[in-house]
Amino acid sequence: MSEHFIPYGRQWIDDDDVAAVAEALRADWLTQGPTIAEFERAVAARVGAKHGVAFTNGTAALHAACFAAGIGPDDEVITSPITFVASANCALYLGARIAFADIRPDTYCLDPEKLESAITPATKAIVAVDHTGQPCDLDEIRAIAKQHRITLIEDAAHALGATYRGRPVGALSDMTMFSFHPVKHITTGEGGMITTEDDDLARKMRVFRTHGISRDAASMSFDDQAADNVSGVEPRRNPATPAPWYYEMQALGFNYRITDVQCALGLSQLKKLDRSLERRREISLRYTDAFANSRVLVTPYQEPDRESAWHLYVIRLRLEAMAKTRRQVFEDLRHSNIGVNVHYVPVHLQPYFRERFGFTRGDFPEAEAYYDGAITIPLHPTMTDADCERVIDAVVEAVS
Ligand SMILES: *Cc1c(COP(=O)(O)O)cnc(C)c1O
């Protein structure tokens, strides 16, 4: 096979990105400089949120969001089975239990009715996933969260730049997570961010990402007795005048800090987000047109009141109408150097989740039916028109 491999996703790096990183390398800070806050403000502004808190990666960001939501060992968190394992693991890191609710068969996102019936008195948060880039049923899910007084965390790793009922994804949930892994819309190498409207949640996440340590006088509990050189005196609350060297560890946090160099790349990347979204949309519409008359392919259904950020393009095979298996189609496409993938193996069927929580096949029939026929085909902004045609031709041939 002489034709080049087309991956399912890929970063888009130009000379301006390289120059931005080179400049950051020559600046005074490599790690905790001013570019982090600048990147946080830029992403928050782009999605219409008050705060952005950046992390080493999206998984760390989800962990911090669960921490800020106050999740602990007695709590339960509900997410979708059709997601990356990180959407569930973030709750487990804090000792909580994970539960799932099944997906809608057309959008592949959480079904609000199933979600509502999965809620128990122990439910403390929902991690709602905008799978493939199309926002989930945010108004319905937010209403459920509000009614049950639970925190709504949106996993928007696929949805930077998506809109829901005319509003950008990023300020529609209590906390919204974006990932800057190279296959996502913009990259910092590894990286992630939570956007939120809530001052207190933002403060908690900032403390969590740096060992649980705060230097913010207003949030401190005690001044350092050594500040006054007084021995044998109990520390006392004196937030107005902490000693200049004083810092406080207020919780068990982590080192989840992103770097200035990465955020310089992120700022540069953000400048081409709109072009990237436009190209992703163009390619997706081209695919949907090309497969519209197929009797064996189901193309992605789009709700008219929301605009996907088109992170993934998933085709579903109507296996009952086909002579081939999904595996045969998948392998044929790989042989044609088309970088197909499957997003995702349902989380509840992963051995760790089966063994620890007793989940089994049959628990979430819609998620399993989706999984059985799903194939992700390449979609990224640096694909050429010729690449798209090659993918289309290869898919049409593989399913015939
Ligand atoms: C990429 C991704 C994550 C995790 O992000 P990282 O930055 O890779 O840690 C979480 N959830 C979903 C749905 C993702 O696609």
Side-chain angles (χ1 to χ4, degrees):
M1 185 58 54
S2 57
E3 284 177 302
H4 69 279
F5 180 77
I6 306 175
Y8 87 89
R10 192 184 195 284
Q11 69 277 16
W12 177 10
I13 301 284
D14 290 326
D15 289 347
D16 56 340
D17 300 303
V18 174
V21 171
E23 192 185 324
L25 283 171
R26 294 193 188 95
D28 292 335
W29 300 273
L30 292 183
T31 54
Q32 303 302 294
T35 316
I36 296 173
E38 203 185 321
F39 181 51
E40 290 175 335
R41 283 193 299 271
V43 173
R46 179 65 173 75
V47 303
K50 185 170 179 193
H51 301 283
V53 185
F55 295 89
T56 44
N57 54 63
T59 304
L62 284 173
H63 186 186
C66 286
F67 170 82
I71 290 162
D74 295 330
D75 302 322
E76 191 170 88
V77 173
I78 304 175
T79 191
S80 165
I82 297 301
T83 186
F84 186 53
V85 293
S87 320
N89 291 347
C90 56
L92 305 185
Y93 298 150
L94 290 155
R97 258 186 62 82
I98 194 75
F100 297 97
D102 212 346
I103 59 168
R104 276 178 54 173
D106 51 357
T107 62
Y108 322 142
C109 292
L110 276 177
D111 180 332
E113 276 177 31
K114 306 264 177 61
L115 172 65
E116 174 118 56
S117 49
I119 288 172
T120 73
T123 308
K124 185 98 176 204
I126 299 163
V127 177
V129 184
D130 300 326
H131 182 54
T132 73
Q134 177 170 225
C136 56
D137 294 321
L138 286 167
D139 281 352
E140 290 81 356
I141 293 173
R142 199 171 46 235
I144 293 168
K146 193 170 176 191
Q147 188 198 331
H148 296 272
R149 297 164 191 266
I150 57 190
T151 304
L152 176 57
I153 299 168
E154 187 177 347
D155 180 336
H158 299 181
L160 180 61
T163 61
Y164 176 84
R165 299 187 172 164
R167 291 165 295 166
V169 161
L172 307 177
S173 302
D174 294 310
M175 290 174 273
T176 305
M177 184 278 277
F178 298 105
S179 164
F180 310 126
H181 180 278
V183 298
K184 309 289 164 71
H185 293 79
I186 65 170
T187 190
T188 56
E190 296 276 0
M193 196 180 291
I194 300 287
T195 55
T196 182
E197 297 293 277
D198 189 298
D199 299 347
D200 191 50
L201 292 174
R203 188 189 60 75
K204 285 179 176 149
M205 289 186 286
R206 289 185 199 286
V207 170
F208 186 73
R209 77 171 165 190
T210 183
H211 309 274
I213 287 173
S214 175
R215 290 177 184 275
D216 165 32
S219 78
M220 284 181 186
S221 356
F222 291 103
D223 196 359
D224 182 3
Q225 60 181 314
D228 299 325
N229 265 332
V230 178
S231 57
V233 173
E234 280 297 299
R236 59 200 160 74
R237 186 168 170 80
N238 189 6
T241 57
W245 62 82
Y246 185 61
Y247 61 88
E248 233 177 48
M249 181 174 144
Q250 300 172 336
L252 183 60
F254 289 76
N255 180 348
Y256 277 167
R257 296 183 305 242
I258 197 168
T259 66
D260 244 42
V261 177
Q262 291 172 290
C263 290
L265 176 57
L267 275 170
S268 168
Q269 286 270 296
L270 198 56
K271 291 183 191 146
K272 44 178 165 266
L273 175 60
D274 285 321
R275 279 181 288 150
S276 170
L277 288 164
E278 183 51 38
R279 183 62 182 152
R280 285 173 177 277
R281 201 175 125 77
E282 225 171 69
I283 296 168
S284 302
L285 294 180
R286 199 173 176 135
Y287 283 159
T288 297
D289 267 0
F291 304 140
N293 296 321
S294 170
R295 271 172 299 161
V296 293
L297 292 177
V298 180
T299 55
Y301 166 74
Q302 299 297 295
E303 285 280 11
D305 62 353
R306 56 203 84 171
E307 183 132 316
S308 179
W310 291 109
H311 168 56
L312 299 176
Y313 194 97
V314 175
I315 53 172
R316 288 181 69 196
L317 309 181
R318 298 166 61 123
L319 292 165
E320 68 285 357
M322 296 175 64
K324 280 178 159 178
T325 64
R326 190 248 310 251
R327 182 172 179 152
Q328 285 168 329
V329 172
F330 190 96
E331 288 179 344
D332 285 354
L333 287 166
R334 279 285 176 94
H335 282 132
S336 307
N337 260 342
I338 308 297
V340 285
N341 240 292
V342 172
H343 295 90
Y344 294 94
V345 177
V347 182
H348 70 286
L349 297 181
Q350 294 289 355
Y352 182 86
F353 289 83
R354 286 176 186 259
E355 285 158 25
R356 181 164 166 194
F357 300 106
F359 293 116
T360 183
R361 209 170 230 276
D363 286 347
F364 304 101
E366 296 295 353
E368 293 159 17
Y370 159 82
Y371 167 63
D372 288 343
I375 296 181
T376 305
I377 63 175
L379 174 58
H380 50 90
T382 58
M383 283 176 73
T384 64
D385 289 352
D387 290 338
C388 299
E389 290 309 315
R390 245 187 76 201
V391 173
I392 290 167
D393 292 346
V395 168
V396 168
E397 191 180 324
V399 301
S400 66

